[in-house]
Amino acid sequence: INLAKSLINLENYPQPELIEQLLLQAVEEARTLADVRTTAYALGTLGKLYEEQKQWEQALEKTQDAIRLTEKIQAPELAYQWEWQLGRLLRNQGEIESAVAAYKTALRSIELAREDLIVLNNSEVRFSFLENIEPVYREYVNLLFLQNAQSNSEQKSDKQVNQPTQSEQNYLQEARETIEALQVAELENFLRCQLSTDRNITIDNFIETNNLQAAVIYPIILPERLETIVKLPHQSNLLFYSSQVSRKKIEDDVKNLRKAIKEEKTFNNNTYFQEIYNYILPQNLDIILQNNQITTLVFVLDGALKNLPIAALYDGTNYLIEKYSLVVNLGLQLFDSPPLRSKKPQVLAAGISESVQNYQALEFVDDELQEIKSKFPTSKILLNDKFLKKTIQDEIANQPYSVVHLATHGQFSSDPESTFIISHKDRIQINEIKNIFRNREKNQPNPIHLLVLSACETATGDSRAALGIAGISIQAGARSTIASLFPVNDLSTSLLMRNFYTALKEDNLTKAEALRRSQLALLSNNNKEYAKPYYWSPFILIGDWR
């Protein structure tokens, strides 16, 4: 069977009759052995061969036979593959409603098999989340929008924000929940564990419970367009709009915008700042947000957009950060705990100003930590050789810190092995972060409200590197995290952090608004040296923004 699958996966595979014979032989041998699982696997792969050959009737027959057998032995980690295949076959024949039902069944099987799929992906079996799991979610969402378009004859103009009918609301809510589920599945695959939802509440309930003027925006990347769903506070109905922009263009635009920012160019030198703004936030959505007195935008970013410094998006007159506080959500539920500003924060501030482990010195880290100490006198400072893995672990486990600030080199990557932060003597890998932070639960009932990573960066060329930021945030059990998407000037970072902690302490602002104010301080006309997006735009806030 594996030989047959390998041959099918070749770009121009030879002799389909030979592959068919291999699989028919496998089916016969598996049946002789009364091996139901392998029989199902062989039949499903045979259906895949017929799908490739566009022999639709035979493909449907073998795929349905495989599904029946997997149901018999209750093997959802196998069943979803053939249910997904059935959905593709039905979609290719124009049976959209039946295809949607098949995809929905496949996603239920994935949900049942979450733990098994995580183990499988970490085993010697070659298994790719990008190839085997993510497409099921995306193709299902694409089908939902297609089904919606078929059932609604009214034409929607590009980038026009629409007030959906009641029947459309069901499609949108299903699409929204599916994208959130994809985000969780991607994180679980990255962390190699299931994420707990104990004591969590949905983002809608979080906003309503805390009476927050926050809109949640879901840009969903499909092969040839961007579909965006918007949830306004205190309103049950969703809004949506489409932009005719391909996945490839989005990926290229994000890559070019990041490159432009790193080269310290401003919006006058390129079009990416404004172009991405226009297809993510069309003009009439801006008007709706203003009419609803929205102060905070919560983005559930998809695909390449996760690496996007959203603060730098430009509407022709203003950057997005000049109009709203900005937050990134991981598709996860939030903890309904008291906000940071209702407490007197106790801060653990650790950093490295010296050159260690072949990383350059961060000469302004000492100033950065001392500024924190001046705002919060009870802070504990661990600088250079005091910043050790064991010291950090002991401090976090035994003291009621609500803020942990780490000013050190590090890297965020879509590979857990390449996601780490630097202590004075060694690296702290992502799997060690969980142990360092979670040990405090035995001694300290209060959570870490804020984790700040002020000198780390995403891995060069890794389009999914923002997964590393999300992973560190989750492993630390922090209610929220501030991190940088790429390396930033040492002095400007120190200034930004000084402004951030001043806003937290003296103005009693939310974390999101404090970060916004600190970014605007660099952007202001009074600070022309650091007004370029390079100095302030890469900082993002993930999680609870209060």
Side-chain angles (χ1 to χ4, degrees), residues 1 4-5 8 19-20 22-31 35-51 58-70 78 81-82 85-86 89:
I1 296 168
K5 286 187 71 175
I8 292 171
I19 302 173
E20 180 184 38
L22 281 171
L23 291 169
L24 288 170
Q25 180 183 344
V27 170
E28 182 181 347
E29 291 178 1
R31 282 174 171 161
D35 186 339
V36 178
R37 184 183 181 89
T38 306
T39 305
Y41 194 54
L43 285 168
T45 308
L46 189 56
K48 170 68 174 174
L49 173 65
Y50 292 142
E51 178 189 14
Q58 297 98 313
L60 273 172
E61 178 190 349
K62 299 305 179 187
T63 301
Q64 289 168 330
D65 287 346
I67 290 171
R68 280 191 287 270
L69 289 179
T70 55
L78 192 58
Q81 299 178 55
W82 315 131
Q85 187 164 289
L86 176 61
L89 292 167

Side-chain angles (χ1 to χ4, degrees), residues 307-324:
N307 277 350
L308 176 68
I310 50 178
L313 298 185
Y314 187 73
D315 68 0
T317 305
N318 297 109
Y319 289 106
L320 190 59
I321 195 65
E322 295 182 84
K323 300 196 285 187
Y324 306 99

Side-chain angles (χ1 to χ4, degrees), residues 207-251:
I207 290 171
E208 298 298 324
T209 300
N210 294 284
N211 196 29
L212 303 170
Q213 290 303 110
V216 190
I217 300 176
Y218 299 79
I220 302 170
I221 301 174
L222 299 175
E224 297 303 326
R225 66 191 190 282
L226 183 74
E227 298 280 6
T228 303
I229 298 172
V230 180
K231 174 64 171 65
L232 297 175
H234 322 301
Q235 296 185 23
S236 58
N237 286 346
L238 301 167
L239 306 177
F240 85 101
Y241 51 94
S242 298
S243 299
Q244 297 303 311
V245 54
S246 69
R247 180 199 302 270
K248 176 67 165 57
K249 177 168 174 52
I250 291 171
E251 291 172 350

Side-chain angles (χ1 to χ4, degrees), residues 238-282:
L238 301 167
L239 306 177
F240 85 101
Y241 51 94
S242 298
S243 299
Q244 297 303 311
V245 54
S246 69
R247 180 199 302 270
K248 176 67 165 57
K249 177 168 174 52
I250 291 171
E251 291 172 350
D252 289 345
D253 284 352
V254 171
K255 187 184 301 181
N256 289 330
L257 181 139
R258 285 172 57 96
K259 182 180 179 183
I261 291 175
K262 287 182 180 180
E263 292 174 355
E264 300 188 23
K265 295 177 182 177
T266 66
F267 60 86
N268 292 318
N269 301 98
N270 64 82
T271 61
Y272 303 114
F273 296 81
Q274 193 165 348
E275 190 170 3
I276 298 176
Y277 189 107
N278 287 339
Y279 58 69
I280 291 183
L281 292 162

Side-chain angles (χ1 to χ4, degrees), residues 352-366:
I352 297 176
S353 61
E354 303 170 345
S355 174
V356 296
Q357 301 178 50
N358 296 321
Y359 285 90
Q360 67 181 30
L362 298 169
E363 58 181 301
F364 293 101
V365 161
D366 191 2

Side-chain angles (χ1 to χ4, degrees), residues 18-134:
L18 171 63
I19 302 173
E20 180 184 38
Q21 192 56 46
L22 281 171
L23 291 169
L24 288 170
Q25 180 183 344
V27 170
E28 182 181 347
E29 291 178 1
R31 282 174 171 161
T32 300
L33 293 166
D35 186 339
V36 178
R37 184 183 181 89
T38 306
T39 305
Y41 194 54
L43 285 168
T45 308
L46 189 56
K48 170 68 174 174
L49 173 65
Y50 292 142
E51 178 189 14
E52 293 284 330
Q53 293 293 305
K54 295 182 170 54
Q55 297 174 246
W56 306 122
E57 188 174 337
Q58 297 98 313
L60 273 172
E61 178 190 349
K62 299 305 179 187
T63 301
Q64 289 168 330
D65 287 346
I67 290 171
R68 280 191 287 270
L69 289 179
T70 55
E71 289 173 347
K72 181 178 177 181
I73 59 173
Q74 297 183 339
E77 77 287 354
L78 192 58
Y80 93 87
Q81 299 178 55
W82 315 131
E83 291 157 353
W84 173 26
Q85 187 164 289
L86 176 61
R88 296 197 305 270
L89 292 167
L90 293 168
R91 179 193 63 195
N92 288 334
Q93 296 179 75
E95 298 182 32
I96 302 302
E97 189 172 343
S98 298
V100 166
Y103 270 88
K104 196 166 187 174
T105 303
L107 289 173
R108 280 200 297 266
S109 293
I110 288 175
E111 181 64 24
L112 289 171
R114 284 163 70 192
E115 189 171 354
D116 290 330
L117 291 173
I118 290 167
V119 171
L120 180 64
N121 199 20
N122 202 26
S123 68
E124 294 179 358
V125 179
R126 288 189 59 82
F127 181 86
S128 167
F129 180 87
L130 284 173
E131 295 174 4
N132 299 85
I133 299 291
E134 183 174 336

